[in-house]
Amino acid sequence: MEKNKLEYTVKIEGKEWEEAIDKAFVEANKKAKIDGFRPGKAPKEVFIKKYGEESLWLDAADHVLQSAYTKMLDEHKDLELVAQPDVAIKAISKEYVEFNFILITKPEVKLNKYKKLGVKKEEVNVTKEEIDKAILDMRNKYAENVTKEGTLENNDIAIIDFEGFKDGVAFEGGKGENYSLTIGSNTFIPGFEEQLIGMKNGEEREIKVTFPEDYHAEDLKGQEATFKVKLNEIKQVVIPELNKDFFDDLGMEGITDEESLRKQVEENIKAHKEHHAEDHFIDELLEEGIKNMEVEVPDVMIEEELNRMIRQYEENLKMQGLTLAQFYQFTNSDEAALKDQMREEAEKRVKSRLLLEEITKLEKIDVTDEEAEKEAEDLATKYNMKKDEFLKLFGGIEMVKYDLEMRKAIDVLKENN
């Protein structure tokens, strides 16, 4: 047929086909309604006289389909199939059934160049500013809100009662009690927070503001309003000092002073950057390798990758308490729209696999049974699982082998660039 598509016919006949028809008869006879006989007790010739022998053929074909599929695979062990074959009944009779299989094979891949691609790994550096920011973020996690005397200042937390009025009439949604507002957060209407600065505990104040033109409530867009505000309490965010109490609270092994903390933070940032740089390096190598690769990818390979990506996306949504149907509803989209968004990435993934698979052939990369078994044991231990449980989830030892082959092919790319 067309490129990467083969047509193959399998005939099932003789004793195997006769037994399949007999099995179909036994199942159909249990449901048959024939006068004078209980379900399942009518003789075959009586059943056939009423329903016709051809009524059994399709069910019989279902019984031998797996056998035909196995026969087809056994005779085509040399072919690399990239999708489940499409199957149809080509002919059927009392003597035989013929199945027509459409096989999609792996496309031919030509690598013009996969070494010396000119891709360089990014050099990783950690700056003093990055260390300072990371340590400040850690200190902020242990910050405490402490009651403050005096006047309200920027960055303080104001505990307020408030009520809003337009033309002297209170409006819906404009009232709150003991509301916690960080001054300078810009979470309220523009101008509101600034006018609270300087207030003291227990003080009441009227402030005037103008709602933005794009405000969500139609009756308040661009309108002037007055808020009556009472300040109940002022709280100040107190960030801990770099002292023994702070290091004890951190609970990090070996961290007893600022110097040891800075060293550990630098190592953590560097490790994170190295990991990111490594991923980026591999991505660029794959992109360059794909540019230098000639291949016509069958649509079915892209479609199967899209289906895998949709299933993974669905699992991720479940972790957030959402279903795929809810996602489509919230985003006013559907599976076709989601696949359109993912199509470019799906094509890239398929081409990356074809690239790496071809490298494994050219470089004669092989993974032994011992390597695969050890890898399975290590991964099972890492994920705190029994080896058999891990292999069942991962797809078996052959998938472990394949994964190792892909990683070795990536190593070839890295070592030669």
Side-chain angles (χ1 to χ4, degrees), residues 5-215:
K5 188 178 283 189
L6 302 174
E7 184 176 13
Y8 183 68
T9 300
V10 177
K11 178 186 279 190
I12 302 293
E13 55 189 342
K15 184 179 179 182
E16 186 177 2
W17 181 232
E18 290 174 9
E19 290 176 349
I21 291 176
D22 287 340
K23 189 173 183 181
F25 159 69
V26 171
E27 293 175 351
N29 198 25
K30 291 176 183 177
K31 304 172 186 176
K33 294 181 180 180
I34 301 175
D35 292 341
F37 297 95
R38 287 179 292 157
K41 298 301 181 180
K44 187 175 181 181
E45 59 270 18
V46 175
F47 176 95
I48 290 174
K49 186 175 181 180
K50 180 172 182 179
Y51 293 104
E53 191 168 31
E54 64 273 12
S55 68
L56 302 173
W57 294 347
L58 289 179
D59 287 339
D62 285 340
H63 289 307
V64 295
L65 176 58
Q66 184 58 46
S67 174
Y69 181 62
T70 302
K71 183 177 180 182
M72 181 271 297
L73 290 180
D74 286 343
E75 294 187 15
H76 287 79
K77 289 179 180 178
D78 56 323
L79 293 178
E80 292 185 77
L81 303 182
V82 296
Q84 284 284 72
D86 286 333
V87 60
I89 295 176
K90 185 176 182 180
I92 193 167
S93 69
K94 182 180 178 180
E95 286 75 30
Y96 67 88
V97 62
E98 269 190 328
F99 293 101
N100 197 52
F101 290 95
I102 304 298
L103 314 180
I104 309 297
T105 61
K106 183 178 176 180
E108 181 183 352
V109 177
K110 182 180 179 182
L111 295 189
N112 297 318
K113 184 180 180 183
Y114 63 96
K115 299 180 179 180
K116 297 182 180 178
L117 295 173
V119 179
K120 292 184 179 180
K121 186 176 178 181
E122 175 189 354
E123 290 187 16
V124 170
N125 295 302
V126 180
T127 66
K128 177 181 179 298
E129 289 72 22
E130 288 173 319
I131 298 171
D132 290 341
K133 183 182 181 305
I135 291 176
L136 180 59
D137 290 342
M138 294 170 74
R139 292 170 64 197
N140 281 326
K141 288 181 181 178
Y142 289 87
E144 295 181 337
N145 297 336
V146 179
T147 300
K148 171 189 170 183
E149 300 298 329
T151 59
L152 185 65
E153 299 178 74
N154 206 31
N155 297 319
D156 285 344
I157 299 171
I159 310 300
I160 59 173
D161 296 337
F162 64 88
E163 186 170 15
F165 299 84
K166 189 183 80 167
D167 299 328
V169 180
F171 54 83
E172 187 177 352
K175 186 176 181 178
E177 293 183 356
N178 287 321
Y179 186 89
S180 179
L181 174 64
T182 300
I183 305 303
S185 63
N186 298 318
T187 53
F188 265 38
I189 306 158
F192 185 97
E193 296 170 26
E194 293 86 344
Q195 294 182 62
L196 300 184
I197 292 176
M199 289 182 70
K200 296 179 180 179
N201 285 329
E203 182 180 343
E204 297 183 11
R205 183 178 291 185
E206 287 191 4
I207 60 176
K208 295 185 184 296
V209 295
T210 301
F211 282 92
E213 293 291 343
D214 60 352
Y215 195 67

